[in-house]
Amino acid sequence: MEGDTRNAEHARAFERDQQLWQERRTIYGAYWRAWNALIRILEGATDGGQEAKARIKAAEAEWRHAIDPMFIVCGKDVLEAGITHIHATEARITAARNGVLMDGVGKSRALSRAMRGDLGA
């Protein structure tokens, strides 16, 4: 009887872990899709005009919408890397609103690595 209880507990824990993994996978993917769309808008919005600012505002809203779910399900490393990534992205948004294209090479690697760690990759 005790072994059956232990097996049931292990099965429930495994199921919870699998569900968390799937939620993280889905939410992390949504974050990167929104972020990549934002970056493409920022890269194409160097004229600083009203139309560019409107495109930036819409893409930024989508990206920000993806942040909270990420922070709800993420582990500590993703949280820390995510905060840094958000600050770097906000600087790029500010620059683009002023018509300046800011280099972002390598700014996403820490977050990407942390997410892969959360997913066991």
Side-chain angles (χ1 to χ4, degrees):
M1 186 80 146
E2 187 176 308
D4 290 341
T5 302
R6 204 170 321 133
N7 287 340
E9 288 172 4
H10 287 300
R12 281 192 298 274
F14 178 78
E15 191 173 309
R16 277 192 311 271
D17 289 347
Q18 287 300 107
Q19 183 178 4
L20 178 59
W21 180 86
Q22 184 59 45
E23 286 176 11
R24 284 178 172 171
R25 184 175 170 260
T26 300
I27 289 169
Y28 293 171
Y31 177 84
W32 285 119
R33 280 188 296 281
W35 184 82
N36 282 318
L38 171 63
I39 294 305
R40 285 185 183 38
I41 295 293
L42 296 180
E43 289 171 347
T46 56
D47 65 5
Q50 290 305 316
E51 185 179 323
K53 288 178 182 178
R55 287 192 315 269
I56 291 169
K57 183 177 180 179
E60 179 185 3
E62 287 297 316
W63 169 68
R64 288 192 182 280
H65 183 71
I67 293 170
D68 287 338
M70 177 180 72
F71 283 161
I72 289 170
V73 301
C74 73
K76 182 179 180 249
D77 291 343
V78 172
L79 178 63
E80 291 171 1
I83 290 168
T84 300
H85 189 256
I86 288 167
H87 291 310
T89 302
E90 287 171 338
R92 290 178 77 178
I93 292 167
T94 299
R97 284 190 176 129
N98 294 319
V100 176
L101 180 59
M102 195 172 153
D103 182 25
V105 173
K107 301 293 184 191
S108 300
R109 289 186 186 130
L111 180 56
S112 181
R113 275 192 305 273
M115 286 177 171
R116 285 193 308 272
D118 259 3
L119 296 173

